[in-house]
Amino acid sequence: MVSLIDGYKPRFLETIYGPMRSGKTQAFRYMVNRLKYDFDIESKLFKPTIDDRNVGIETKAGEKMDAISLPVDNPMTICDYVGDSRLIGIDETQFFDEKELIKTVFYLLEKGKSVLAAGLDTDAWTNPFGAMPYLISISHNSNKMVTQCRNDGCNDIAMFTHKLGGDPNSTVEVGDDIYEPRCFRCHVIPE
């Protein structure tokens, strides 16, 4: 994975995106720690309150980072917490209000902060999801994460999030047990 952190430059927007269980949070954690230890960059991490699966930000392997949970409708409150931190990490970006998150990211960049944003780029219907597709288009660097298709016996490259259960009409449902990564061939759009 190529990242801007390898040659740290002040004030950048970097995105990490892909389907569920593709290693986004693990890559996010790696980049935050790398900047902290290699370049002595202080960070503040944020996630939406709707993601109540754990306290802070946690990888599927159980690695945890402290994070501030904020309401999805007003991500601009991130600015109240950043202080002198130079890196602002935002996980699960797809759940934040799209227009408000984009305004927040622009504001942070204008203030000389670097932003690391992670989240799903498409929903279970393969539609652009939240602010992430726009953030990808304006980012200095983007990292598409993929994994293996979890459909029985396939193991092809998964780039979509397939919905296994829950409300078939709801785009926003949090839960690892109702989604799995699927390839183009095995993904089925919920009806």
Side-chain angles (χ1 to χ4, degrees):
M1 177 171 59
V2 177
S3 173
L4 289 176
I5 66 170
D6 294 323
Y8 176 72
K9 303 280 188 268
R11 189 168 40 183
F12 65 80
L13 169 61
E14 185 154 352
T15 54
I16 304 168
Y17 63 99
M20 292 283 289
R21 298 185 189 141
S22 61
K24 295 180 302 295
T25 304
Q26 192 170 16
F28 183 88
R29 182 178 183 275
Y30 168 80
M31 289 181 191
V32 168
N33 286 335
R34 178 90 188 274
L35 286 167
K36 180 178 182 177
Y37 296 113
D38 288 357
F39 299 99
D40 196 29
I41 304 297
E42 286 301 315
S43 62
K44 284 276 172 61
L45 309 179
F46 301 90
K47 71 175 209 163
T49 52
I50 192 171
D51 181 6
D52 59 359
R53 291 175 287 181
N54 47 53
V55 176
I57 298 171
E58 185 174 349
T59 68
K60 299 291 185 262
E63 302 161 323
K64 299 178 183 177
M65 297 179 289
D66 292 331
I68 299 168
S69 293
L70 295 173
V72 296
D73 60 340
N74 191 6
M76 197 64 166
T77 56
I78 287 172
C79 302
D80 297 337
Y81 296 94
V82 298
D84 293 333
S85 298
R86 290 171 43 206
L87 174 67
I88 310 308
I90 307 170
D91 197 22
E92 303 294 351
T93 59
Q94 72 276 359
F95 294 134
F96 284 109
D97 178 271
E98 181 178 353
K99 289 181 182 177
E100 291 300 313
L101 184 61
I102 291 167
K103 282 194 322 193
T104 302
V105 168
F106 272 101
Y107 178 83
L108 292 167
L109 291 170
E110 286 172 7
K111 294 296 179 187
K113 309 294 183 183
S114 292
V115 179
L116 180 60
L120 301 174
D121 55 330
T122 59
D123 62 19
W125 291 263
T126 69
N127 295 317
F129 201 177
M132 185 52 80
Y134 181 77
L135 295 176
I136 293 166
S137 74
I138 64 165
S139 66
H140 296 95
N141 194 46
S142 61
N143 302 281
K144 171 75 172 184
M145 307 299 289
V146 294
T147 188
Q148 286 186 325
C149 180
R150 299 279 169 91
N151 198 21
D152 291 334
C154 179
N155 294 329
D156 202 350
I157 295 173
M159 50 195 226
F160 297 115
T161 298
H162 177 79
K163 193 165 190 176
L164 296 168
D167 181 353
N169 299 311
S170 178
T171 303
V172 178
E173 281 188 287
V174 177
D176 292 332
D177 57 334
I178 59 174
Y179 300 100
E180 72 179 9
R182 293 266 183 105
C183 69
F184 183 79
R185 193 175 26 147
C186 296
H187 180 267
V188 178
I189 293 178
E191 295 189 29

